[in-house]
Amino acid sequence: MLDIESLDALIEYLRASGRIKPTEQPRASIMQGGVSNRTVLLERESGEAWVIKQALEKLRVKADWFADVKRIEREATALKTLGRMLPGGSTPVFVFEDRDIHLLAMTAIPQPHENWKTMLLSGNVQLTHAGQFATLLAQLHRASWMKLDELNDLEDRSFFESLRIEPYYLYSAQHQPDAVTFINFLIAATRTRRFSLVHGDYSPKNVLVHLDKLVLLDFEVMHFGDPAFDLGFSLAHFLSKAHHLPAHRHAFADAAMHFAKTYLRSLGMQSDAAEIDRFGAQHALACLLARVAGRSPLEYLTADEQRRQCHVVLDLMKATPASMVELIDTFLDGVTRCP
């Protein structure tokens, strides 16, 4: 089995498979930061650049966490689907896949670009970026709304179960008994709510900012399901960073509010908005807990911040805020007051 981080072997494979010319001398470098894939940047003599990903069976986290490597096939399908749904330049472009060795190639985002998570953690919080993030998500959900018949190649939810429900929700509930009732209810509801495509990993770490425009990455958990999960997952990142960076807390609060309001306005389906808003708040609570008590805790939160976030979330689960805006206010008030 080819290991693409063995760069000479990767280049030989690309030549032998006809992906590049036999005499071509591309430049390859290992990309750091991902936990679920090996990732390599390939810069070709023509000036074209590819990102090549290969799924890992055992993820690179402290806790044992295994996942089916066929999820790379899901990402390839999702990438081709999103190319038809979102504005050009919003995602990389699919190049090729090799299912035998669990490999996917896509176009690299041109330089200069910066990872949005890195920008946010440095205190660079811009409402225009939060607005774009919300608008793209609303476009994805609206374009796929109730179109399962047209998107049945993304119907399977097994990767979502193995990469989100078990390691985030069930694992957290096992370690925080006070959350069991809340999380079990939310899981049951989520399994029945099948309204649109769901990104499943909609977070700042999976966004690059190029020429002040957001480009979305990482679609291996995409499925047809509960759109409110994407809202909660995203909101938990804004709020966790607001908690971690008190000097920028107001900026993050404004960005979170702008994200929630822009999404609901852009979705444009008033009859469904209140329910999505309510479930989005519930998923945000569950994800805020999961990022301190699940298999993949946020690496930037200190031990005191993890303890405080857990305490505030468990308290809010007793009387769940009815909307995302209400959750933003109550959570940030809670972490500000909690010693």
Side-chain angles (χ1 to χ4, degrees), residues 239 242-243 249-250 253 257 308 311-313 315-316 325-339:
L239 296 180
H243 177 196
R249 190 163 291 167
H250 289 301
M257 291 284 190
R308 186 183 304 118
H311 175 82
V312 171
V313 168
D315 189 54
L316 289 175
V325 167
E326 183 182 345
L327 171 64
I328 293 165
D329 282 336
T330 54
F331 174 78
L332 293 179
D333 181 66
V335 295
T336 301
R337 293 175 181 273
C338 185

Side-chain angles (χ1 to χ4, degrees), residues 246-300:
H248 301 283
R249 190 163 291 167
H250 289 301
F252 276 107
D254 288 344
M257 291 284 190
H258 190 57
F259 168 77
K261 293 177 180 179
T262 301
Y263 171 86
L264 293 171
R265 183 174 62 252
S266 300
L267 189 65
M269 294 185 290
Q270 296 306 313
S271 60
D272 301 291
E275 183 179 1
I276 294 172
D277 194 5
R278 178 166 57 88
F279 274 99
Q282 293 180 16
H283 279 294
L285 276 178
C287 289
L288 282 165
L289 180 64
R291 300 324 298 257
V292 297
R295 290 188 187 274
S296 183
L298 291 170
E299 81 289 349
Y300 56 79

Side-chain angles (χ1 to χ4, degrees), residues 317-328:
M317 283 180 174
K318 298 172 186 175
T320 311
S323 70
M324 292 184 286
V325 167
E326 183 182 345
L327 171 64
I328 293 165

Side-chain angles (χ1 to χ4, degrees), residues 36-234:
S36 62
N37 299 281
R38 301 183 182 103
T39 309
V40 171
L41 174 64
L42 189 88
E43 298 171 282
R44 303 187 62 188
E45 294 174 344
S46 64
E48 184 179 10
W50 299 343
V51 170
I52 302 175
K53 297 177 64 174
Q54 185 177 44
L56 292 168
E57 183 177 10
K58 184 181 186 301
L59 277 62
R60 293 165 168 167
V61 295
K62 185 176 181 180
D64 285 342
W65 186 358
F66 298 87
D68 188 343
V69 291
K70 288 188 177 181
R71 67 187 183 276
I72 199 77
E73 300 173 19
R74 172 60 53 85
E75 180 158 16
T77 300
L79 200 56
K80 289 180 277 189
T81 300
L82 291 177
R84 304 191 301 267
M85 289 188 167
L86 296 179
S90 301
T91 68
V93 176
F94 172 85
V95 177
F96 71 87
E97 64 178 319
D98 188 330
R99 296 189 171 190
D100 291 335
I101 55 174
H102 320 301
L103 181 149
L104 165 66
M106 67 194 82
T107 55
I109 307 307
Q111 294 287 357
H113 63 249
E114 191 170 359
N115 182 271
W116 193 29
K117 174 183 175 180
T118 302
M119 294 174 65
L120 292 173
L121 286 175
S122 72
N124 185 353
V125 186
Q126 299 182 34
L127 290 185
T128 55
H129 294 159
Q132 288 183 51
F133 197 50
T135 301
L136 287 170
L137 185 61
Q139 288 177 318
L140 169 62
H141 292 166
R142 188 176 64 247
S144 60
W145 196 262
M146 304 304 288
K147 293 182 180 179
L148 179 56
D149 289 346
E150 301 174 26
L151 299 164
N152 53 22
D153 52 353
L154 292 165
E155 178 179 9
D156 177 71
R157 292 157 57 104
S158 59
F159 300 123
F160 179 67
E161 290 282 339
S162 64
L163 289 167
R164 291 295 173 267
I165 296 297
E166 191 284 325
Y168 281 69
Y169 286 6
L170 291 174
Y171 189 92
S172 298
Q174 290 170 6
H175 292 79
Q176 296 294 334
D178 290 345
V180 168
T181 300
F182 180 93
I183 288 178
N184 284 345
F185 165 81
L186 187 57
I187 291 172
T190 298
R191 285 172 173 163
T192 63
R193 290 169 49 80
R194 310 199 71 180
F195 301 136
S196 73
L197 285 180
V198 178
H199 184 290
D201 199 4
Y202 203 69
S203 73
K205 76 177 177 61
N206 292 329
V207 176
L208 297 179
V209 181
H210 171 61
L211 301 180
D212 212 35
K213 300 293 185 182
L214 303 193
V215 184
L216 309 181
L217 308 174
D218 288 354
F219 311 105
E220 62 187 29
V221 195
M222 183 167 281
H223 64 284
F224 203 91
D226 180 5
F229 178 83
D230 280 338
L231 285 170
F233 194 82
S234 307

